[in-house]
Amino acid sequence: MSGYERVEELNIMKVIAETLNRCNDMTMMLQTVLEKLLELTKLEAGWIFLIDSPEEYVLAAHHGLPPALSWGAYKPMCSGDCYCLSRYRNGKLTQPVNIIECKRLNEAIQHAWGDTNGITHHATIPLGDGEDSFGLLNVASPRKEKFSQEELTLLQSLGFQIGTAIRRTRLYQDERRRAESFEKLNQLAGFLWSADDFYDLQEILEKDGRGIFGWSSVGCYIENQIGKKPAFALTEEVRVEESLGVIPITRQQVVTGAVWIEPAGTSFQPSDREFFMALGRHLTLVYESIALKEKRQELLLHEERKRLARDLHDSVNQKLFSLSLTAKGAKEIVSKYDSSLGELMDEMLSMSQQSLKEMRSLIWQLRPVGLEEGLLSAMKKYGEHLGLCVQFEMERLPDWSRQAEETLWRISQEAMNNVAKHANTKEVTVRLFDTDGGAGMTVMDHGSGFQIEADDERQTLGLISMRERAELLGGELAVRSEPETGTTIDVFLPYRRERRNEDEN
């Protein structure tokens, strides 16, 4: 070898070393190194397979492939099996192989895919860093069927350098991917902390989470709050699989829900576990914040109801009671002198007693008790208060959110009030059910019934509050009634509500 050739060889090796040490783009690095390697070894063709699993491989770089292997966007090189891949998978290819007859070239000749440019064999060098293997380097030249020991030693050295560079590049890419994920997590966290309730939390994950990270889909379940319980078991551990990431949501060290995410395009990597754990911590804190906020609102509502009930009891209720006693006393006095006045006093007494009964019923509704023992117990006790016999129909005890139970409870109160006032019956049937889409309730009686008309006073005054309560949760309420056939009230509350368009509000 002349001095000029030696200098040229050293320059090529310098370029290879610099590329392997500095380049962080895997494709560019492998392609540049492969071309320089072929220039250094005076070979004409080469290709690199990266093998991440026994079943999958990728043509990561190539140069000088003959038409027989490059037709159809390199289709012969991107699918199928070959001898070198089989030996690699079987663990029999740990050292450079002096010569391997190429199955792909044989198939190209057999099927007349194109000219092989005289290439029939190739040498194969495993790419690894001493701990892990990442793929194969194949090199060939026309009519070359044997490689010298010196050539193999050089190729093995370069194969080790390439393997080490692949390890470094992947670590760099994982770290960069991790940094980008945490940067996006900061952006998502701002949206998460703006959630006013659990429905907002779910919608932010689905809309903003998918928008920021490009996830394929997001599912969310919180016990007694939102979503349908997933088929998989809820555990304390974060699960990260290629096609699924599962994040537990805990409160007071108890798992109460989960968020599961499916990627789009690329699969999740084991290195994503740290990101999922960080997202889980955010979700748990946001969940705790929302729960405390709702608890505070409940306590404020609780106190306000108690105050209203106390004020009504101490003022209006006492005055109605006094009016009832006064009417009763006045009746006894005037009835001795004028029978017509006695009849008027009878009517006044009846009206005052009925108003007193309705006021006591209103005070009972305002008292923030009942649901503590469950929805069914609250309905039963309230029915007994009104003198009704309540029968329940259900296949199983539903597991609903607090908001849904509160809404159904208030609607059932109004419905039973209407039965006690207008239906001329003491029996009410309540059917509770749930579907994949939401929670449902039917309140039915076989009393007087009525003809439903748009200007019916009972339609506008007695039913409007029930319909408004249902619509607040995105639900629906329907009334069915005919004279002498009874009345049926159907309520359905979806598990999810429509996302509010903040830009339009």
Side-chain angles (χ1 to χ4, degrees):
M1 179 184 297
S2 66
Y4 174 79
E5 291 175 336
R6 181 59 179 167
V7 170
E8 185 179 9
E9 181 181 285
L10 291 173
N11 285 334
I12 294 174
M13 295 183 68
K14 179 183 176 183
V15 172
I16 292 175
E18 289 177 347
T19 302
L20 292 175
N21 289 329
R22 296 180 181 178
C23 186
N24 293 315
D25 185 306
M26 183 76 76
T27 301
M28 181 184 297
M29 178 188 73
L30 294 178
Q31 186 63 40
T32 301
V33 169
L34 176 62
E35 293 176 6
K36 289 298 179 181
L37 182 151
L38 294 176
E39 183 180 351
L40 177 66
T41 58
K42 303 298 191 291
L43 300 172
E44 292 192 10
W47 59 97
I48 294 176
F49 289 134
L50 290 183
I51 307 169
D52 291 326
S53 68
E55 296 79 20
E56 298 179 356
Y57 67 91
V58 175
L59 179 64
H62 57 82
H63 182 76
L65 293 180
L69 299 180
S70 60
W71 65 272
Y74 302 93
K75 184 176 180 180
M77 305 298 290
C78 298
S79 60
D81 205 355
C82 61
Y83 303 134
C84 58
L85 286 176
S86 297
R87 294 183 64 176
Y88 177 89
R89 291 166 180 155
N90 294 333
K92 297 179 180 179
L93 209 165
T94 58
Q95 299 292 328
V97 177
N98 191 357
I99 206 66
I100 287 184
E101 186 177 0
C102 184
K103 181 181 178 182
R104 299 178 196 273
L105 285 168
N106 291 343
E107 290 179 349
I109 295 172
Q110 179 182 353
H111 298 290
W113 286 343
D115 193 352
T116 63
N117 291 349
I119 297 176
T120 57
H121 297 71
H122 63 76
T124 296
I125 301 92
L127 302 178
D129 63 352
E131 294 183 6
D132 295 314
S133 297
F134 306 110
L136 296 173
L137 165 66
N138 292 333
V139 292
S141 268
R143 292 166 293 279
K144 186 175 181 65
E145 297 183 1
K146 190 171 182 63
F147 289 80
S148 67
Q149 188 60 46
E150 183 180 355
E151 289 175 317
L152 291 176
T153 300
L154 175 61
L155 291 171
Q156 183 178 20
S157 174
L158 291 171
F160 181 81
Q161 292 180 50
I162 295 173
T164 303
I166 291 174
R167 163 80 74 180
R168 178 191 61 77
T169 304
R170 287 185 172 177
L171 289 174
Y172 170 82
Q173 291 176 344
D174 284 344
E175 186 64 26
R176 182 176 179 180
R177 189 165 176 260
R178 174 182 174 277
E180 290 176 351
S181 295
F182 276 88
E183 184 178 347
K184 292 178 180 179
L185 177 58
N186 287 335
Q187 184 180 354
L188 178 61
F191 291 107
L192 292 176
W193 282 99
S194 69
D196 293 325
D197 53 37
F198 295 110
Y199 292 98
D200 278 347
L201 178 63
Q202 180 186 35
E203 291 162 0
I204 288 170
L205 281 170
E206 292 179 351
K207 180 179 179 181
D208 299 309
R210 291 175 64 181
I212 293 172
F213 289 93
W215 294 326
S216 173
S217 65
V218 181
C220 184
Y221 166 77
I222 298 178
E223 185 177 352
N224 296 327
Q225 295 296 338
I226 55 173
K228 186 172 178 62
K229 190 172 184 179
F232 54 79
L234 300 180
T235 65
E236 296 180 0
E237 297 295 325
V238 171
R239 287 172 48 197
V240 181
E241 303 171 1
E242 288 188 359
S243 58
L244 182 68
V246 180
I247 306 167
I249 298 178
T250 61
R251 188 178 187 197
Q252 298 176 347
Q253 298 182 338
V254 176
V255 178
T256 58
V259 170
W260 55 99
I261 302 168
E262 295 181 359
T266 59
S267 302
F268 289 136
Q269 304 296 324
S271 57
D272 290 323
R273 175 175 294 276
E274 186 179 357
F275 161 76
F276 278 108
M277 292 177 67
L279 176 56
R281 288 191 290 270
H282 275 287
L283 290 173
T284 296
L285 291 173
V286 171
Y287 169 46
E288 185 72 26
S289 175
I290 292 174
L292 291 174
K293 186 187 300 182
E294 290 198 346
K295 186 65 176 178
R296 180 175 180 272
Q297 291 173 344
E298 279 186 14
L299 291 174
L300 292 174
L301 183 60
H302 179 97
E303 292 300 320
E304 181 66 13
R305 285 176 175 170
K306 281 203 306 184
R307 185 190 66 79
L308 287 173
R310 184 172 58 250
D311 290 349
L312 288 173
H313 181 272
D314 293 344
S315 58
V316 181
N317 186 66
Q318 294 297 330
K319 290 177 180 178
L320 286 174
F321 182 70
S322 298
L323 177 61
S324 176
L325 292 178
T326 302
K328 184 176 181 179
K331 172 193 171 184
E332 293 177 356
I333 295 174
V334 302
S335 60
K336 297 178 181 179
Y337 305 101
D338 192 331
S339 60
S340 60
L341 284 176
E343 292 176 357
L344 289 174
M345 297 309 298
D346 276 337
E347 184 176 352
M348 182 182 296
L349 176 62
S350 175
M351 291 178 62
S352 63
Q353 289 177 338
Q354 181 63 30
S355 297
L356 182 61
K357 182 179 179 181
E358 291 181 3
M359 178 57 62
R360 287 173 176 169
S361 176
L362 177 60
I363 292 173
W364 201 97
Q365 290 184 55
L366 287 172
R367 290 170 58 206
V369 297
L371 278 181
E372 292 82 357
E373 300 178 8
L375 180 60
L376 270 63
S377 176
M379 289 182 180
K380 184 176 179 61
K381 287 184 178 180
Y382 189 65
E384 292 173 351
H385 169 75
L386 296 176
L388 301 175
C389 177
V390 183
Q391 301 292 328
F392 294 98
E393 294 181 358
M394 67 185 71
E395 295 180 358
R396 61 184 180 85
L397 189 64
D399 180 17
W400 292 331
S401 70
R402 184 168 53 253
Q403 285 180 311
E405 285 196 350
E406 174 75 15
T407 298
L408 294 178
W409 161 231
R410 295 302 176 187
I411 290 175
S412 71
Q413 283 184 310
E414 185 65 36
M416 286 189 282
N417 277 333
N418 289 339
V419 173
K421 291 178 183 178
H422 307 297
N424 295 319
T425 183
K426 298 297 182 181
E427 295 185 355
V428 178
T429 300
V430 177
R431 177 174 174 255
L432 299 172
F433 62 94
D434 60 355
T435 68
D436 290 343
M441 178 180 73
T442 298
V443 181
M444 179 174 57
D445 70 76
H446 296 287
S448 303
F450 61 96
Q451 187 67 42
I452 299 177
E453 296 179 0
D455 59 349
D456 195 315
E457 184 179 5
R458 288 168 296 185
Q459 172 76 359
T460 57
L461 298 179
L463 301 175
I464 190 170
S465 64
M466 292 189 289
R467 180 169 286 110
E468 287 178 345
R469 287 184 184 275
E471 290 175 350
L472 281 174
L473 292 186
E476 298 177 349
L477 184 141
V479 180
R480 293 177 284 132
S481 185
E482 292 288 343
E484 307 306 325
T485 63
T487 302
T488 299
I489 296 176
D490 296 307
V491 188
F492 185 78
L493 306 177
Y495 284 132
R496 297 174 57 191
R497 72 182 180 195
E498 293 298 322
R499 183 175 178 86
R500 294 171 302 208
N501 191 328
E502 298 178 356
D503 295 334
E504 294 179 357
N505 290 342

